[in-house]
Amino acid sequence: MTDSPVDASRARGRYPKGVARRQEILDRAIEVFARRGSKKTSLRAIAQEVGVTHAALTHYFGSLEELLVAVYRESERRSDETEPEPSDVTPAMSMRIAAEKNRSIPGLVQLYSILTANAIEDDHPAAQEFATARFARLRGDIAEQVRDLQSSGRLRDDLDAALVAALVIAASDGLQTQWLLDPTVDHEGALEMLDRLLAGDAT
Amino acid sequence: MTDSPVDASRARGRYPKGVARRQEILDRAIEVFARRGSKKTSLRAIAQEVGVTHAALTHYFGSLEELLVAVYRESERRSDETEPEPSDVTPAMSMRIAAEKNRSIPGLVQLYSILTANAIEDDHPAAQEFATARFARLRGDIAEQVRDLQSSGRLRDDLDAALVAALVIAASDGLQTQWLLDPTVDHEGALEMLDRLLAGDAT
DNA sequence: GTCTATACGTCGATAGAC
DNA sequence: GTCTATCGACGTATAGAC
């Protein structure tokens, strides 16, 4: 029982060969989403395109929702390492950059929306954990960024950093939804305006 | 054929008895959502609680999604007529009022989120029409409100009204999502801050 | 016209063969 | 470790009772 992996509840994909195979399947799944968007996100449809049975997917990922979370997380991770975050940006700008990267991969924005909607329903633990953790992390990062900008005088210092963080994330998410339904909605323009408001520009 | 209702493509629930029965079922469905939230929003589950077969629901509403849209629309309509919109409010404040009303009915916020998420997927025509129309109407209303406030000097007049409208709606929706996942997120506080930014307050 | 009964295909999940 | 087989629940469609 020394280093046996049987102790944990999440016993999937822990053996050397298992993790390799899991990663291989995840790679294919990401490729599938990148190629054909988020249509037909059923276990069976993904399994067919990946080249395995749907039972194999549940074997490695536990459930459809955990697979979707894994696909989104891995896609986001790759985006981040491809183009690291610039250090000196305004809050809304950093959300804009992230949104732009996501939009380059078809289906990723829809996938995010599906996961977020599932998260606020009951009995969707995987999506709930994903969304809660993501929002908490984002709010912390952006609030810190806001405080930096405030201390260097590039942002109004009469604003609560935590509130600004929540507001900027909310604006970005909400604008993305509106933009998906109506591409004439100026997602970037609205975020730029928010940045100007936060900076306290008179114009 | 004078006042015959057969002309339209949506021929459901148009005859006197039909509309009455449809309304009756809708009332029960709304009551069900108000009582137990948005858990188990399947046709069969709703039908059982309403006291009909699931086929009766599709008879009157065409599909599950159309039923959900009808429930949300009717709930929203009743909120609006119960407490009419004050005429002299800031943009974010009016979204706050609407959000507050929705939050008093369990399941309505989740229902809205489900519909919005479905709308941005393909092959969900009912949800797509609902969300597109709702956003378009809201953006128009708020943009108009913004212009009024600008002309009376209570809002910075260097801001594009359409952008402000999209931003305020996005912020409200996004904050609601974050609040559902983490009640410590100050939905109202963030919207108040946005209102102050839009007004151009120095403090 | 209103509504039930029934059937069809697909879904996520699971058990057991190999 | 991965498959086949199977389960119950789902949305939808239709035939026919009333």
Side-chain angles (χ1 to χ4, degrees):
Chain A
M1 239 220 225
T2 54
D3 60 344
S4 168
V6 217
D7 54 341
S9 55
R10 294 188 75 263
R12 279 178 302 274
R14 286 178 149 266
Y15 296 86
K17 170 155 190 195
V19 294
R21 182 71 176 125
R22 187 191 135 110
Q23 189 62 43
E24 192 181 324
I25 293 178
L26 189 52
D27 288 346
R28 306 273 314 247
I30 290 173
E31 187 197 329
V32 166
F33 271 82
R35 182 175 3 102
R36 67 140 171 73
S38 67
K39 307 180 189 210
K40 298 292 291 178
T41 56
S42 75
L43 269 182
R44 283 171 168 85
I46 298 171
Q48 189 179 10
E49 297 215 54
V50 168
V52 292
T53 58
H54 67 277
L57 294 182
T58 64
H59 173 69
Y60 283 108
F61 297 94
S63 71
L64 168 63
E65 202 152 69
E66 286 172 277
L67 168 61
L68 296 180
V69 168
V71 166
Y72 185 85
R73 281 213 157 106
E74 182 68 8
S75 299
E76 198 179 36
R77 196 186 62 77
R78 291 184 187 180
S79 286
D80 288 350
E81 77 182 13
T82 299
E83 185 186 348
E85 171 92 350
S87 59
D88 231 45
V89 290
T90 53
M93 185 67 88
S94 64
M95 289 303 294
R96 243 196 60 199
I97 293 171
E100 215 167 300
K101 283 189 286 190
N102 282 356
R103 234 173 291 156
S104 67
I105 302 174
L108 210 59
V109 185
Q110 281 100 325
L111 180 54
Y112 172 73
S113 182
I114 292 170
L115 288 173
T116 307
N118 286 353
I120 67 170
E121 295 183 75
D122 300 316
D123 294 325
H124 290 257
Q128 196 159 333
E129 282 178 40
F130 158 74
T132 304
R134 182 179 179 276
F135 280 129
R137 179 179 53 78
L138 266 180
R139 280 194 299 260
D141 288 353
I142 294 186
E144 189 183 5
Q145 192 181 15
V146 166
R147 285 186 214 100
D148 286 350
L149 291 170
Q150 283 176 326
S151 61
S152 65
R154 281 168 297 173
L155 207 94
R156 290 174 54 151
D157 60 357
D158 60 337
L159 303 174
D160 183 283
L163 283 185
V164 172
L167 175 64
V168 168
I169 296 163
S172 179
D173 282 8
L175 284 166
Q176 190 140 258
T177 302
Q178 291 183 56
W179 173 80
L180 279 169
L181 287 167
D182 179 356
T184 67
V185 171
D186 189 359
H187 179 270
E188 302 192 6
L191 284 183
E192 279 173 16
M193 184 179 71
L194 178 57
D195 257 341
R196 280 191 290 121
L197 291 172
L198 292 170
D201 286 4
T203 45
Chain B
M1 239 249 205
T2 55
D3 59 346
S4 169
V6 219
D7 54 344
S9 56
R10 293 189 75 264
R12 275 181 303 273
R14 285 177 151 267
Y15 293 84
K17 170 156 187 195
V19 294
R21 182 71 175 124
R22 187 190 135 110
Q23 189 61 45
E24 192 181 324
I25 293 178
L26 190 52
D27 288 346
R28 306 273 313 247
I30 290 173
E31 188 197 329
V32 166
F33 271 83
R35 182 175 3 102
R36 66 143 171 70
S38 65
K39 308 181 189 207
K40 297 292 291 177
T41 54
S42 75
L43 266 184
R44 283 170 168 86
I46 298 171
Q48 190 179 8
E49 297 215 54
V50 169
V52 293
T53 58
H54 67 276
L57 295 183
T58 64
H59 174 69
Y60 284 109
F61 296 94
S63 71
L64 168 63
E65 203 152 67
E66 287 172 277
L67 168 62
L68 296 180
V69 169
V71 166
Y72 186 85
R73 281 211 157 107
E74 180 70 6
S75 300
E76 199 180 35
R77 196 185 63 76
R78 291 185 188 178
S79 287
D80 289 350
E81 76 182 13
T82 299
E83 185 185 347
E85 171 93 348
S87 59
D88 231 48
V89 293
T90 52
M93 184 68 86
S94 64
M95 289 303 296
R96 241 197 61 198
I97 293 170
E100 214 167 301
K101 284 190 284 189
N102 281 357
R103 232 173 292 154
S104 67
I105 303 174
L108 209 60
V109 186
Q110 281 101 324
L111 179 55
Y112 171 73
S113 183
I114 293 170
L115 288 174
T116 306
N118 286 353
I120 67 170
E121 295 184 75
D122 300 316
D123 295 324
H124 290 258
Q128 197 159 333
E129 282 177 42
F130 158 75
T132 304
R134 182 179 179 276
F135 280 129
R137 178 180 55 77
L138 266 180
R139 280 194 299 259
D141 288 353
I142 294 186
E144 188 183 5
Q145 192 180 16
V146 166
R147 285 187 214 97
D148 286 350
L149 291 170
Q150 284 176 325
S151 61
S152 66
R154 280 168 298 173
L155 207 94
R156 291 174 54 149
D157 61 356
D158 60 337
L159 303 174
D160 182 283
L163 283 185
V164 171
L167 176 64
V168 168
I169 297 163
S172 179
D173 282 8
L175 284 165
Q176 190 140 260
T177 302
Q178 290 183 56
W179 173 80
L180 278 170
L181 287 167
D182 180 357
T184 66
V185 171
D186 189 357
H187 179 270
E188 302 192 6
L191 285 183
E192 279 173 16
M193 183 179 71
L194 178 56
D195 257 341
R196 281 191 288 120
L197 291 173
L198 292 170
D201 287 3
T203 45

